[in-house]
Amino acid sequence: MLDIQNLTKTYSSAQEHIAVLRGVCMYVSAGESVALTGESGSGKSTLLHLIAGLDEADGGSIRIADTEVTALGDRDRAAIRRDRLGLVFQQFNLIPSLTVADNLAFQSRIAGRHDSRWQNELVERLGLGNLLERYPEQLSGGQQQRVAIGRALAVRPPLLLADEPTGNLDEATADDVTDIALDLVKRTGCAFLMATHSTRLAARLDRKVRLSTGLIS
Ligand SMILES: Nc1ncnc2c1ncn2[C@@H]1O[C@H](COP(=O)(O)OP(=O)(O)OP(=O)(O)O)[C@@H](O)[C@H]1O
Ligand SMILES: [Mg+2]
């Protein structure tokens, strides 16, 4: 589902060049969950941003299903992001002016893939039933994160990307949210790549890869 070959990315400023990714190769199959680990600054977020098409690589290729995203321009990458990717970041990025119900449905409506039965199922599984009319600022961190996961899965994406999704949550809540996400990932059969510093959470996923000195080991 996700196939990355020889991916390179260097950040340059007047003073220095930082080669963050120096030839990353990795693969995530449909239905597989993979933890992306590595020290702070090792390039995990950089890699997720490139996969999501939010930034451009210097070299190498990224394929999502049958599409080579590294060959696309900004507009097409945005369309892939909208239609095929679920994204969950540490800052939940919920839309403050929309209720929980509308936040959940936002991406799937824009993508023309809204499915109210599936949304109701997500609401039930994520325990959001009595929060639907609330606004994000009226939710706890764990509740906001569950909404963010629901929104990401509402389009039934073939690939779910998460960057430290539970970094702001206490251990018990982080475990709970991760387990719900894993359960939903299994049910939709999507591929799941999650950057995390936590060995405890990484162990809950099918497999672990590590970024170090710009390479995956
Ligand atoms: N826009 C940018 N411009 C210049 N350098 C950047 C930029 N974004 C990231 N970097 C540098 O690239 C390296 C990798 O950063 P990245 O955020 O990908 O690491 P990370 O593994 O996600 O770290 P963390 O675990 O702390 O989130 C760091 O040295 C960082 O300073
Ligand atoms: Mg990061």
Side-chain angles (χ1 to χ4, degrees):
M1 187 53 66
L2 172 66
D3 186 4
I4 299 176
Q5 296 294 334
N6 293 316
L7 199 69
T8 54
K9 177 73 182 174
T10 298
Y11 287 114
S12 300
S13 67
Q15 299 82 21
E16 52 178 353
H17 301 283
I18 311 170
V20 182
L21 306 179
R22 299 190 307 129
V24 164
C25 297
M26 70 173 296
Y27 191 82
V28 185
S29 313
E32 190 183 32
S33 61
V34 176
L36 177 61
T37 66
E39 285 174 12
S40 184
S42 59
K44 302 181 297 296
S45 297
T46 300
L47 178 57
L48 291 174
H49 277 94
L50 294 177
I51 299 169
L54 293 165
D55 196 359
E56 276 185 66
D58 298 328
S61 71
I62 301 171
R63 290 183 79 84
I64 297 173
D66 50 0
T67 305
E68 176 148 357
V69 290
T70 29
L72 302 176
D74 284 348
R75 278 175 76 114
D76 289 332
R77 289 206 310 262
I80 298 269
R81 194 156 57 238
R82 184 189 65 210
D83 298 344
R84 302 223 205 136
L85 295 184
L87 302 177
V88 184
F89 293 115
Q90 190 171 355
Q91 318 75 329
F92 317 115
N93 297 320
L94 298 176
I95 300 168
S97 58
L98 296 183
T99 61
V100 167
D102 288 335
N103 263 286
L104 283 170
F106 186 74
Q107 189 186 356
S108 58
R109 287 210 180 104
I110 288 181
R113 305 248 300 266
H114 186 68
D115 173 347
S116 25
R117 234 171 81 184
W118 173 233
Q119 175 156 331
N120 291 341
E121 211 175 314
L122 286 170
V123 164
E124 188 172 323
R125 186 63 187 93
L126 291 161
L128 296 172
N130 48 16
L131 303 175
L132 290 174
E133 297 311 318
R134 291 211 203 169
Y135 290 87
E137 64 177 15
Q138 302 169 320
L139 302 177
S140 75
Q143 290 167 340
Q144 290 186 48
Q145 198 56 315
R146 282 184 276 141
V147 177
I149 291 169
R151 177 182 58 179
L153 288 170
V155 291
R156 289 182 181 272
L159 177 62
L160 178 66
L161 301 175
D163 195 355
E164 290 281 351
T166 57
N168 290 325
L169 307 178
D170 66 73
E171 281 197 4
T173 310
D175 287 356
D176 191 36
V177 168
T178 306
D179 286 344
I180 295 170
L182 284 172
D183 177 44
L184 289 167
V185 158
K186 290 292 170 225
R187 285 195 14 226
T188 55
C190 80
F192 181 32
L193 180 61
M194 176 175 95
T196 180
H197 280 286
S198 161
T199 42
R200 199 188 73 254
L201 290 179
R204 297 174 113 82
L205 277 58
D206 295 335
R207 188 156 65 81
K208 187 167 96 174
V209 297
R210 186 175 173 77
L211 249 184
S212 168
T213 64
L215 297 168
I216 287 281
S217 58

